[in-house]
């Protein structure tokens, strides 16, 4: 079912790989505005020329890598269309001639005049590849087993909250369609369905959309999202404080990927998808009920302070490690400064100091920076999600309770790319966010007890900078997993030469 909450220039043409058919060569576009968003706080994408130079030095082929993998959290409208293959022969026959020309490579997204009306990416679950008679071992057990296998022991989800499509066996793949209007997205979906001529059927879909006006780039709790994505060697120029990671941690077969893969899997990536419902009214009520007591702040500001301490950033995006008790929107909007911190401060013990940033803060739990020596470069993901669902209604605000109406559900369509799911997304959730033994606390935003139980109390310290030893107990989950799946996002050459017939 479809949920109601309806997220190159000449040099690039010269770089088109040999597998591209004439119909897939980039054509002139009439687009005058970007299909991507670009909040000031987020790292800017490289220009087409910058990316071409960096990728050439590193040996990356950006015309072969699907566009969503390296772009990050910059989508305006994006539909996740999960499908079941019902005629694999017909489906494969249309991949090369019909679908491949619609697939958007990274290179095509870096300049407005080369962007398509709607960007299209495609990924397959293990069941989907098996249905297509692709039996090669891609070297990732989490992908091979599917996300449902991770639920209890690794992710800690309460499976009764999962959407039935994710709990079943019918999802073979997902189309990701991104544009600046939902009408564009829907028109492209209709085109894809016509091309595939009844070879697939819809298993589930989720429409994502950037939040309105000055909330663009913020998730539903109100916090700017995506600032901490790493810089990838061969694609982006690092900003101060941004970690630089080998492409092989995200792309199979590239520098830094140490697993043996089939040759055709090179430049593909594993996509971890999660539908994460956010209980915004309950979160806001908790902040008000447990507001801190800084005498220089108003009651509302003290509530905002607690939220910032739980997240690790102010809603503006300013890190609490740099501005522990008051927001700094100017700092937040400056990518030269808003990620330039590592939790260490002269005169403070890194192992005990929570006056700057709590150990349990979501940002710190999922990226400890100087908390590990040397800094961790093995467990990273590129986040590429988008909010879904409407803004909080007046009735929900008045009652402090999220509506049970499915059309009013809101949250984050979480997307993470990596070359090893167990070292990427699953590691961050199991060993860092859910692990009370890791820097002493469970993540107050996304952490669970790891046993699949809901609303298990968490008791982090450090949330009150005036008294870091004070315990503030959290007795409810503000983020509820509605399920998900693991997918493989193949390169364009793999679609042409291996998956299509």
């Amino acid at each position: 079912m479809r949920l109601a909450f309806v997220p190159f220039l000449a040099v690039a043409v010269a770089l088109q790989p040999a597998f591209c058919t004439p119909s897939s060569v980039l054509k002139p576009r009439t687009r005058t505005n970007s299909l991507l968003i670009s909040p000031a706080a987020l790292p800017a994408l490289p220009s087409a020329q910058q990316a071409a130079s960096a990728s050439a030095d590193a040996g990356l082929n950006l015309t072969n890598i699907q566009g969503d993998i390296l772009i990050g959290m910059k989508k305006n409208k994006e539909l996740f269309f999960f499908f079941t293959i019902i005629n694999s022969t017909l489906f494969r026959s249309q991949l090369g001639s019909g679908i491949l020309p619609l697939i958007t490579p990274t290179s095509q997204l870096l300049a407005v005049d080369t962007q398509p009306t709607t960007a299209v990416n495609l990924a397959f679950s293990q069941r989907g590849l098996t249905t297509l008679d692709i039996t090669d071992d891609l070297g990732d057990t989490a992908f091979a087993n599917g996300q449902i296998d991770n639920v209890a022991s690794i992710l800690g989800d309460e499976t009764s909250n999962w959407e039935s499509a994710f709990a079943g066996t019918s999802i073979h793949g997902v189309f990701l369609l991104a544009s600046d209007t939902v009408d564009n997205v829907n028109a492209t979906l209709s085109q894809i369905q016509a091309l595939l001529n009844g070879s697939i059927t819809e298993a589930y879909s989720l429409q994502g959309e950037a939040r309105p006006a000055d909330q663009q780039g913020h998730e539903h709790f109100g916090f700017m999202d995506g600032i901490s994505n790493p810089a990838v060697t061969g694609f982006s120029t690092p900003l101060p404080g941004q970690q630089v990671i080998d492409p092989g941690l995200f792309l199979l077969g590239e520098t830094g990927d140490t697993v043996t893969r089939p040759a055709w899997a090179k430049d593909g990536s594993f996509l971890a998808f999660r539908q994460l419902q956010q209980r915004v009214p309950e979160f806001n009520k908790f902040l008000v009920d447990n507001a801190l007591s800084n005498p220089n702040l108003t009651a509302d500001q003290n509530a905002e302070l607690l939220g910032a301490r739980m997240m690790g950033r102010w809603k503006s995006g300013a890190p609490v490690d740099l501005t522990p008790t008051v927001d700094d929107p100017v700092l937040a909007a400056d990518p030269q400064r808003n990620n330039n911190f590592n939790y260490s401060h002269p005169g403070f013990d890194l192992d005990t100091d929570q006056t700057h940033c709590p150990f349990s803060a979501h940002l710190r739990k999922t990226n400890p920076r100087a908390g590990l020596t040397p800094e961790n470069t093995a467990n990273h993901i590129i986040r590429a999600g988008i909010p879904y669902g409407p803004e909080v209604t007046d009735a929900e605000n008045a009652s402090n309770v999220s509506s049970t109406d499915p059309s009013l559900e809101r949250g984050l369509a979480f997307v993470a790319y990596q070359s090893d799911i167990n070292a990427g997304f699953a590691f961050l959730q199991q060993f860092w966010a859910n692990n009370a033994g890791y820097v002493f606390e469970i993540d107050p935003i996304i952490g669970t007890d790891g046993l699949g139980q809901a609303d298990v109390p968490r008791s982090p310290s450090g949330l009150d900078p005036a008294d870091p030893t004070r315990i503030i107990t959290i007795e409810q989950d503000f983020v509820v997993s509605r399920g998900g799946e693991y997918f493989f996002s193949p390169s364009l050459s793999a679609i042409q030469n291996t998956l299509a017939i």
Side-chain angles (χ1 to χ4, degrees):
M1 68 172 183
R2 177 92 51 91
L3 290 189
F5 29 78
V6 191
F8 264 115
L9 305 172
V11 64
V13 175
L15 290 172
Q16 289 290 323
F19 63 81
C20 285
T21 62
S23 62
S24 69
V25 175
L26 299 180
K27 303 177 179 65
R29 306 287 174 181
T30 58
R31 181 175 282 285
T32 57
N33 60 297
S34 178
L35 62 80
L36 303 173
I37 64 172
S38 187
L42 298 186
L45 292 174
S47 69
Q49 292 81 3
Q50 289 170 331
S53 176
S55 62
D57 290 343
L60 287 184
N61 183 355
L62 299 182
T63 65
N64 194 36
I65 299 165
Q66 292 202 54
D68 195 49
I69 297 170
L70 298 177
I71 294 299
M73 303 184 72
K74 290 181 176 286
K75 277 71 66 72
N76 192 334
K77 311 287 191 292
E78 183 173 26
L79 176 67
F80 300 88
F81 183 84
F82 302 93
F83 61 86
T84 305
I85 300 169
I86 57 177
N87 185 327
S88 62
T89 301
L90 178 58
F91 178 81
R92 294 186 72 181
S93 72
Q94 295 302 312
L95 272 183
S97 60
I99 300 303
L100 181 61
L102 299 178
I103 301 299
T104 309
T106 305
S107 54
Q108 196 172 350
L109 291 173
L110 299 178
V112 171
D113 59 358
T114 61
Q115 290 177 354
T117 301
T118 301
V120 179
N121 275 198
L122 172 62
F124 297 92
S125 67
Q126 178 64 71
R127 290 188 183 92
L129 291 182
T130 301
T131 299
L132 298 178
D133 295 323
I134 305 297
T135 59
D136 293 328
D137 181 1
L138 297 186
D140 193 289
T141 57
F143 168 74
N145 294 334
Q147 193 172 127
I148 190 70
D149 187 64
N150 281 174
V151 171
S153 61
I154 293 179
L155 304 182
D157 289 6
E158 186 177 15
T159 54
S160 62
N161 291 320
W162 271 42
E163 285 284 349
S164 59
F166 294 126
T169 60
S170 63
I171 292 180
H172 291 161
V174 58
F175 280 102
L176 292 76
L177 298 95
S179 191
D180 51 350
T181 72
V182 172
D183 285 345
N184 286 343
V185 167
N186 289 339
T188 303
L189 176 62
S190 295
Q191 181 184 5
I192 289 170
Q193 290 173 313
L195 286 167
L196 292 175
N197 195 25
S199 62
I200 65 170
T201 187
E202 180 177 345
Y204 184 68
S205 62
L206 186 65
Q207 177 67 56
E209 185 168 350
R211 294 183 61 214
D214 65 353
Q215 290 302 294
Q216 193 174 81
H218 298 248
E219 46 71 58
H220 276 292
F221 290 142
F223 296 88
M224 179 60 73
D225 206 2
I227 295 174
S228 298
N229 265 338
V232 180
T233 300
F235 179 64
S236 48
T237 301
L239 293 164
Q242 191 177 24
Q243 290 177 291
V244 182
I245 306 297
D246 285 338
L249 263 72
F250 314 111
L251 297 166
L252 277 63
E254 295 292 352
T255 301
D257 179 19
T258 60
V259 179
T260 301
R261 320 282 192 176
W264 66 266
K266 183 178 180 179
D267 287 342
S269 186
F270 293 112
L271 186 169
F273 179 87
R274 301 272 282 167
Q275 181 175 332
L276 300 177
Q277 180 184 5
Q278 291 177 264
R279 300 168 68 184
V280 179
E282 291 85 349
F283 179 74
N284 290 339
K285 183 177 187 301
F286 176 82
L287 299 185
V288 171
D289 290 348
N290 295 274
L292 301 180
S293 54
N294 185 318
N296 297 316
L297 302 178
T298 66
D300 286 347
Q301 289 171 331
N302 271 302
E304 292 285 327
L305 173 58
L306 176 59
R309 306 281 296 178
M310 292 170 65
M311 187 64 72
R313 288 190 187 274
W314 293 88
K315 289 184 176 181
S316 67
V320 298
D321 194 54
L322 297 182
T323 179
T325 59
V326 293
D327 193 6
D328 187 341
V330 175
L331 185 160
D334 184 357
Q336 295 290 327
R337 295 193 293 149
N338 65 15
N339 207 31
N340 192 17
F341 63 94
N342 66 5
Y343 305 118
S344 67
H345 298 271
F348 292 86
D349 185 343
L350 181 64
D351 294 328
T352 59
D353 175 32
Q354 295 196 84
T355 59
H356 292 88
C357 182
F359 295 136
S360 66
H362 171 65
L363 188 70
R364 191 169 189 172
K365 285 288 288 185
T366 54
N367 186 358
R369 304 189 186 215
L372 295 177
T373 305
E375 286 197 34
N376 181 286
T377 58
N379 305 106
H380 286 269
I381 57 177
I382 295 176
R383 298 179 61 238
I386 189 170
Y388 72 87
E391 296 297 296
V392 176
T393 66
D394 291 342
E396 290 174 302
N397 274 328
S399 67
N400 297 311
V401 176
S402 297
S403 172
T404 58
D405 181 345
S407 70
L408 295 179
E409 181 183 319
R410 65 191 57 83
L412 181 69
F414 174 90
V415 172
Y417 289 101
Q418 59 264 288
S419 62
D420 183 338
I421 295 170
N422 280 330
F425 159 71
F427 180 94
L428 301 186
Q429 186 70 51
Q430 179 184 18
F431 293 107
W432 286 355
N434 292 353
N435 185 0
Y438 169 68
V439 292
F440 319 118
E441 315 285 358
I442 294 176
D443 187 318
I445 304 296
I446 66 166
T448 75
D449 67 348
L451 301 175
Q453 301 178 34
D455 297 324
V456 174
R458 288 150 285 166
S459 301
S461 63
L463 297 182
D464 186 347
D467 182 7
T469 63
R470 177 188 169 197
I471 301 297
I472 298 178
T473 301
I474 304 168
E475 296 182 333
Q476 57 186 314
D477 296 330
F478 303 119
V479 175
V480 177
S481 171
R482 307 282 277 123
E485 184 54 286
Y486 297 141
F487 298 92
F488 179 64
S489 181
S491 68
L492 276 72
S493 60
I495 294 173
Q496 173 73 20
N497 300 324
T498 301
L499 301 179
I501 57 174

